[in-house]
Amino acid sequence: MSFGQRKNFTVPVDAESPEARDDAKLLPLGPFDKIPPIIIDGQDPPKTPITPTTPIIYCPQSPSATSKRSRALRPGTTRKYRRRAILKNGDCNIVLSKVSRQRLRFLQDIFTTLVDAQWRWTLLVFAFSFIGSWLFFGAIWWLIAFTHGDLEEMHLPKNQEESGWKPCVFNIESYTSAFLFSIETQTTIGYGYRTTTEECPEAIFIMCFQSIYGVMMQAFMVGFVFAKMTRPKHRTQTLLFSKHAVVCQRDGELSLMFRVGDMRKSHIIGANIRAQLIRTKLSREGEVMAQYQHELEVGADHCGSDLFFIWPQIVTHRINTESPFYNMSASDLLQDRFEIVVILEGTVESTGQSTQARSSYVNTEILWGHRFEPIVFYNKENQVYEINYSKFNETHSVDTPLCSARELAEFYKYQDDYRNQAEDHHHLQTPA
């Protein structure tokens, strides 16, 4: 049935009820019946009939009002939130299980393992690596002194001048003194109280080996601690994504939009934005692909996916014939299950390292009929552009049809055809 034949339609009172969610009952007459309850500033749905040309405002309940019960839900019901692959802070909600030789594989790449480990484990490994090496080489120095006879009563430091004994290392009389000499050798402290003599070649070899080992281990430990402290992941803490995405009309098309921002003065060079839709897909052969990924075409203004990221940008995905949301209306958006993963990549200007910031939006985090508040203003007093980040997540409601982009395009096409027919008829009736 065309839009011209459909004069009016009614809006379901409760979109969360089983009757309203039944697809067979949602689409009995035409595409405009797939519409959830309309809430305008907390008022009940209008009682007058609504036509496709009637401007409609869809205002979901503010997420901040958690204490108030949503009027769109039946008493005793709760909205179910979809499981996420990417959390709002950008972490991947993934846990590995049943990986063969997992520990061995991680130990083969010990540097990356230590960098990815939590700080408490990193500092624990850092401390015990030094203490363990000091204890180990201290035992070797004690064995050298023991086998050479330096620990006998007459060969102890207090009796060496009387007996004329020349030890491998001066002033070694127990394991404690051997441990202290190990620390002095590896850290090159050089107190001058304990020194190696020419009496034992093995002592000279161990001293050289421990010095080389100490330099290598210190370089390795300092390297992974520095790499952990300067990870590009920390730069993503100042890259912001809006809490919600919005759907509204822009240039006659429905568009899905979200906002990204950077809080630092050091910019992201070569910033690029991507978005992927994760949802379940059924192939022609009947295969169920639960985590099917679909690349969404996104861009800011008319610059494509490459951003000149000097101030917050509103990233737009036009819901056209190539979009997976082309046949999705406002009610479909509430009922469907999907996740939109957004990825911002670029190079950190101050360090030259590549970074990647991530976030995601599920269907309950998309506000239909909303638009972002402007936050970039020109300050005439200081002659600079001022960014008000307090309004970064704020939106306001706008007139937006609740039908799908396909239905809206058909409606506009019907209007154009009707207008052209009226003009042709007017020209035929007008005498020459």
Side-chain angles (χ1 to χ4, degrees):
M1 182 176 293
S2 64
F3 292 102
Q5 297 172 346
R6 181 66 176 159
K7 297 182 179 180
N8 54 55
F9 66 97
T10 58
V11 180
V13 176
D14 190 357
E16 297 294 329
S17 63
E19 292 79 12
R21 285 186 174 274
D22 190 355
D23 293 340
K25 296 180 180 180
L26 277 174
L27 302 173
L29 298 175
F32 283 93
D33 289 317
K34 301 189 303 177
I35 296 181
I38 302 176
I39 302 174
I40 304 179
D41 296 332
Q43 300 296 328
D44 293 332
K47 298 181 180 179
T48 58
I50 302 175
T51 64
T53 59
T54 304
I56 301 173
I57 303 175
Y58 176 63
C59 306
Q61 185 183 13
S62 174
S64 61
T66 56
S67 60
K68 297 181 181 180
R69 181 176 298 175
S70 174
R71 301 186 65 178
L73 299 178
R74 291 182 293 111
T77 62
T78 56
R79 189 185 300 276
K80 295 182 179 180
Y81 290 88
R82 188 187 186 280
R83 295 184 295 269
R84 291 180 179 273
I86 302 297
L87 303 178
K88 294 296 288 184
N89 60 358
D91 294 338
C92 296
N93 190 24
I94 298 173
V95 176
L96 304 179
S97 63
K98 299 181 180 179
V99 181
S100 60
R101 299 185 301 173
Q102 180 178 5
R103 294 183 178 179
L104 179 61
R105 294 174 186 269
F106 281 122
L107 289 176
Q108 289 176 349
D109 187 13
I110 187 63
F111 186 86
T112 306
T113 301
L114 292 175
V115 171
D116 292 338
Q118 296 180 353
W119 268 109
R120 56 176 176 266
W121 299 113
T122 301
L123 296 177
L124 190 66
V125 171
F126 184 86
F128 274 91
S129 60
F130 283 98
I131 296 175
S133 63
W134 297 337
L135 293 172
F136 173 75
F137 282 103
I140 293 180
W141 287 114
W142 183 85
L143 288 175
I144 291 176
F146 178 79
T147 55
H148 188 256
D150 296 342
L151 301 181
E152 296 180 4
E153 182 65 24
M154 294 301 299
H155 299 162
L156 292 177
K158 58 183 178 180
N159 299 324
Q160 287 176 3
E161 184 177 356
E162 180 181 353
S163 60
W165 180 259
K166 189 175 183 180
C168 295
V169 180
F170 285 121
N171 299 311
I172 296 291
E173 56 184 10
S174 64
Y175 177 77
T176 302
S177 56
F179 174 73
L180 293 176
F181 179 72
S182 174
I183 297 176
E184 296 174 15
T185 302
Q186 186 166 327
T187 58
T188 64
I189 292 178
Y191 287 126
Y193 184 64
R194 299 179 181 88
T195 56
T196 308
T197 65
E198 302 175 355
E199 187 68 19
C200 303
E202 64 272 18
I204 300 175
F205 173 77
I206 292 298
M207 182 184 65
C208 297
F209 181 79
Q210 186 177 4
S211 299
I212 297 174
Y213 173 81
V215 172
M216 293 180 60
M217 188 185 67
Q218 186 172 1
F220 177 80
M221 291 298 170
V222 172
F224 86 78
V225 170
F226 179 78
K228 188 175 180 65
M229 294 178 62
T230 59
R231 280 188 304 174
K233 182 178 180 181
H234 296 163
R235 179 63 175 86
T236 62
Q237 303 300 320
T238 52
L239 295 176
L240 305 179
F241 294 89
S242 59
K243 186 177 181 180
H244 295 90
V246 299
V247 175
C248 65
Q249 281 186 293
R250 174 174 285 186
D251 295 332
E253 290 181 329
L254 287 178
S255 299
L256 173 71
M257 295 179 286
F258 59 92
R259 182 145 58 188
V260 294
D262 187 5
M263 297 177 60
R264 288 190 179 275
K265 291 185 178 181
S266 58
H267 304 298
I268 299 296
I269 303 174
N272 181 271
I273 190 69
R274 296 171 49 207
Q276 288 187 345
L277 174 66
I278 302 178
R279 66 186 304 181
T280 302
K281 180 183 178 181
L282 183 65
S283 66
R284 296 180 180 179
E285 296 77 17
E287 179 186 2
V288 178
M289 295 175 283
Q291 292 83 30
Y292 184 80
Q293 300 182 19
H294 188 285
E295 190 76 17
L296 299 180
E297 184 177 351
V298 295
D301 300 332
H302 284 80
C303 300
S305 59
D306 295 326
L307 307 179
F308 183 47
F309 207 23
I310 59 175
W311 48 47
Q313 298 274 2
I314 296 179
V315 182
T316 304
H317 166 66
R318 296 186 178 276
I319 306 179
N320 49 28
T321 56
E322 303 297 329
S323 173
F325 302 108
Y326 188 63
N327 297 316
M328 186 176 296
S329 64
S331 60
D332 296 332
L333 185 72
L334 291 176
Q335 299 176 44
D336 204 347
R337 292 177 177 268
F338 60 87
E339 180 180 2
I340 301 175
V341 178
V342 293
I343 306 168
L344 177 63
E345 298 175 322
T347 303
V348 182
E349 185 180 31
S350 56
T351 62
Q353 294 179 317
S354 300
T355 185
Q356 183 184 89
R358 300 179 295 265
S359 187
S360 68
Y361 302 96
V362 294
N363 61 333
T364 55
E365 295 172 344
I366 300 178
L367 306 180
W368 191 288
H370 278 235
R371 185 175 295 160
F372 285 106
E373 293 281 357
I375 61 175
V376 181
F377 305 95
Y378 186 76
N379 191 326
K380 295 183 179 179
E381 182 179 353
N382 298 327
Q383 296 184 356
V384 294
Y385 283 95
E386 183 177 345
I387 303 173
N388 185 5
Y389 272 99
S390 64
K391 297 183 178 181
F392 185 81
N393 294 310
E394 291 188 8
T395 62
H396 63 275
S397 60
V398 293
D399 295 348
T400 305
L402 298 181
C403 61
S404 65
R406 178 184 61 81
E407 296 165 346
L408 186 62
E410 292 177 357
F411 176 71
Y412 286 151
K413 183 178 182 300
Y414 171 79
Q415 278 189 331
D416 293 339
D417 294 342
Y418 180 79
R419 187 180 298 107
N420 293 334
Q421 291 178 4
E423 292 178 356
D424 294 341
H425 180 73
H426 177 71
H427 290 316
L428 291 175
Q429 295 296 328
T430 302

